[in-house]
Amino acid sequence: DLGRYDESLRVLDEAIEVGTRSGEPGWLFSAYIQRGTVLLWIGRPTEAIGVIDESTRKFAEIAELPLLKYAQITLAEAHGEMRHPDLDRIRSLLETAEEGALADPKLGVSISIVDLERRVLEGADDSFDKAYEGFLEARTHLGKAEEPMLDLRAEIARAQALQQRGKTFESETVARIAATLAQEKDLPEFEARAWAVASEAQRSAGRSTEAERLHRRAREALDRAAQRIKDEEMRQGFLDRPVFRSIRKAPEAQRSSGEQRLFAIYDMLRILNSETDPDVLLETMLDMALDVVQAERGLILLRDGDGDDAKYSVRLARNLEKQTIDDAAEFSRNVVLRAGAGKAVLAIDTGQD
């Protein structure tokens, strides 16, 4: 809760080691779920999904039902933190978590919040208001218990939903209240997100000066949150999370295209030196490449063999239909060979080129 995620991860790793020796499966499963949550907060959603999936398979038959539900909720959160969230997968996980969860008020509230956050993701078309009413009802079952992080997440999602519907005044009002609460509870990362929504509302209303002022407040709060993470790599992962993209976007927008590519290469080198999972590495690289060239679709081909005998197969694709992926495997070989030789390729008609 203090935002010291590097310290939290270290303590959890020690706890998992102790739990493994002592043979307490339920306690160990809980530690793995918490580890997945921390990985999520430091910008490693794919790794979080792997940790929770593996531990769920290992402990599913002996774990208590609430732990299994929290594992599903955390998986849904992790999918929501991906650069290209799978909305259907998130919905499916939440529906599964909701089955039999009514007896636990905290579970009900957690499910409602992740569902609210899903509904404001790009591409979602579900009604927000009805889900927000469901959250308020679930929240009453917790009584007067203080849950500032849960309340803030719900209100920030509500402000985003209002903004998406063009209700800029209401959006800014809700966002400012959330930012004030986050300040009071010393939760700077949520303060940053709230100020960012308020800034966007001002920008949409044509008040650019006030929008810039609020954006600076968002950036200052985010910097305060990042300073709590002493590990440099984890701090950078935290800052790279999609939820902070709008806060960090303004300075990047002022860079030249050459500077943006240079920063992208730096980020790729950092990932190459730190990521050990090849699937996570390829996924991150593709997302970075799409971001830097502002493309909507892309794919990665892997080479098998050398010279004229080399064969290429599609390992990963983003926003492409299966037929398009199959076609790409057929006609991309010469393009890849030329690009691999250091030659720029501009293809007008990829089928002919």
Side-chain angles (χ1 to χ4, degrees):
D1 290 352
L2 296 175
R4 293 164 57 184
Y5 299 128
D6 48 352
E7 285 295 305
S8 177
L9 198 61
R10 180 186 61 78
V11 172
L12 281 168
D13 286 342
E14 291 176 357
I16 288 171
E17 184 178 346
V18 172
T20 302
R21 292 199 303 266
S22 64
E24 292 286 342
W27 186 84
L28 190 57
F29 186 31
S30 176
Y32 274 118
I33 295 173
Q34 293 180 60
R35 189 178 195 279
T37 301
V38 176
L39 289 171
L40 175 61
W41 295 145
I42 58 173
R44 300 181 186 175
T46 305
E47 190 175 343
I49 291 170
V51 167
I52 297 172
D53 274 340
E54 183 179 352
S55 58
T56 300
R57 285 192 296 268
K58 186 175 181 179
F59 300 109
E61 295 184 0
I62 56 177
E64 295 181 358
L65 183 62
L67 280 179
L68 291 172
K69 297 301 181 184
Y70 276 115
Q72 292 160 349
I73 295 169
T74 307
L75 279 175
E77 287 186 74
H79 281 284
E81 284 273 334
M82 301 290 284
R83 288 175 182 263
H84 302 279
D86 185 338
L87 299 179
D88 291 335
R89 176 62 174 153
I90 299 170
R91 183 191 293 111
S92 175
L93 284 164
L94 292 176
E95 288 174 351
T96 303
E98 196 170 14
E99 297 171 2
L102 296 178
D104 189 325
K106 184 76 172 286
L107 272 174
V109 171
S110 299
I111 293 169
S112 294
I113 286 170
V114 180
D115 188 44
L116 291 177
E117 292 173 336
R118 175 187 67 82
R119 291 167 188 258
V120 295
L121 291 173
E122 184 177 354
D125 55 5
D126 306 74
S127 170
F128 185 90
D129 290 343
K130 186 176 181 180
Y132 184 72
E133 291 173 5
F135 159 75
L136 292 177
E137 182 179 354
R139 184 66 177 86
T140 60
H141 296 305
L142 286 180
K144 296 182 179 180
E146 281 206 5
E147 296 288 350
M149 291 180 65
L150 298 181
D151 293 336
L152 283 167
R153 288 172 62 181
E155 292 309 302
I156 290 170
R158 181 184 170 210
Q160 290 175 300
L162 290 166
Q163 170 66 20
Q164 291 170 355
R165 284 147 52 187
K167 297 184 176 183
T168 55
F169 176 77
E170 294 92 335
S171 173
E172 184 190 359
T173 300
V174 172
R176 282 181 178 273
I177 293 172
T180 301
L181 175 61
Q183 282 181 312
E184 292 174 356
K185 301 300 181 181
D186 193 25
L187 296 169
E189 67 181 86
F190 294 101
E191 180 189 345
R193 291 170 59 183
W195 286 131
V197 178
S199 171
E200 185 58 34
Q202 288 284 353
R203 195 177 304 280
S204 298
R207 295 187 285 270
S208 58
T209 302
E210 179 64 8
E212 290 300 324
R213 188 184 72 81
L214 293 176
H215 186 276
R216 284 195 298 273
R217 295 194 69 171
R219 187 58 188 259
E220 290 167 1
L222 183 59
D223 288 343
R224 292 200 309 274
Q227 288 169 8
R228 298 183 176 187
I229 305 172
K230 303 307 179 184
D231 183 281
E232 185 176 349
E233 182 183 330
M234 292 186 191
R235 187 191 310 126
Q236 189 60 50
F238 167 79
L239 290 170
D240 287 342
R241 288 173 58 195
V243 291
F244 300 135
R245 188 175 299 162
S246 65
I247 301 175
R248 306 185 71 213
K249 181 171 62 177
E252 293 174 0
Q254 298 171 2
R255 298 174 184 161
S256 67
S257 60
E259 288 174 326
Q260 291 181 34
R261 285 174 171 78
L262 182 61
F263 274 89
I265 292 172
Y266 169 78
D267 285 340
M268 289 180 179
L269 289 173
R270 177 175 58 82
I271 295 296
L272 277 170
N273 288 327
S274 61
E275 184 55 67
T276 57
D277 186 325
D279 292 328
V280 175
L281 179 63
L282 291 175
E283 188 167 301
T284 304
M285 290 296 188
L286 180 55
D287 285 336
M288 286 181 170
L290 292 174
D291 283 345
V292 77
V293 299
Q294 298 182 359
E296 294 181 358
R297 292 172 290 277
L299 48 82
I300 289 179
L301 296 94
L302 296 186
R303 184 180 69 186
D304 183 15
D306 297 312
D308 295 335
D309 296 328
K311 295 181 179 180
Y312 293 86
S313 60
V314 177
R315 177 65 177 271
L316 182 66
R318 278 280 186 266
N319 301 326
L320 290 173
E321 300 293 336
K322 184 179 184 303
Q323 185 59 50
T324 305
I325 295 173
D326 293 340
D327 291 342
E330 293 295 325
F331 63 64
S332 293
R333 183 174 182 276
N334 289 333
V335 174
V336 172
L337 285 172
R338 291 179 61 188
K343 299 177 181 178
V345 180
L346 175 62
I348 306 301
D349 184 344
T350 50
Q352 296 295 322
D353 295 342

